[in-house]
Amino acid sequence: MGKRWYEGTADAIYQNLRLVQEHNPDHVCVFGSDHIYKMDIRQMVDLHKKRGAKCTVAGIKVPIAEASEFGVIEIDEDWNMVSFEEKPESPKCIL
C-alpha cells in the first residue's frame, strides 16, 4: 500500500511487519512469489512446533552442477542451518 512496490521478499516482509505485529499471529509463513510450490507445509509446521524453532527454512537437494543457480543451505547433523550462500560461484558439496 506504500508508494513503492516490493523490491524482493525481504523488502516485502519489511513493508508488512506492521501488519504482523498488529495481528500477532502464532506463526507466519513466507514464500517467494516467483516460484510455484507443490508441497504440503503441514509437515514442516508440525516439525517447527515440535522443535520449538524460531525460524524454519525449507530446501531441496539439487545436483552440485546446478547449485550455483540457487541459495545453498548448510546444515549440521541435527538439521540446524549453519550457513547460507546466495548463488555461490563455487558451491561446496553439502550432503
Side-chain angles (χ1 to χ4, degrees):
M1 304 304 272
K3 294 181 181 182
R4 63 184 177 83
W5 196 248
Y6 302 137
E7 296 176 6
T9 304
D11 184 55
I13 294 167
Y14 177 75
Q15 287 193 46
N16 287 284
L17 275 178
R18 182 184 55 78
L19 290 173
V20 174
Q21 293 165 339
E22 205 172 277
H23 293 280
N24 195 27
D26 292 331
H27 299 91
V28 175
C29 296
V30 177
F31 300 93
S33 63
D34 59 344
H35 290 75
I36 301 296
Y37 296 91
K38 186 178 178 181
M39 67 183 279
D40 180 349
I41 67 163
R42 289 177 288 195
Q43 202 176 27
M44 185 173 71
V45 172
D46 290 345
L47 182 62
H48 173 86
K49 291 176 185 178
K50 180 181 175 184
R51 293 187 69 170
K54 292 184 179 185
C55 180
T56 300
V57 177
I60 60 169
K61 290 183 179 183
V62 297
I64 192 72
E66 298 174 20
S68 62
E69 299 174 32
F70 299 94
V72 176
I73 299 168
E74 181 181 2
I75 59 171
D76 65 16
E77 62 278 350
D78 295 320
W79 289 79
N80 294 308
M81 189 165 114
V82 295
S83 72
F84 176 84
E85 290 184 273
E86 180 64 28
K87 299 180 181 177
E89 286 184 30
S90 300
K92 58 184 171 181
C93 182
I94 303 169
L95 300 175

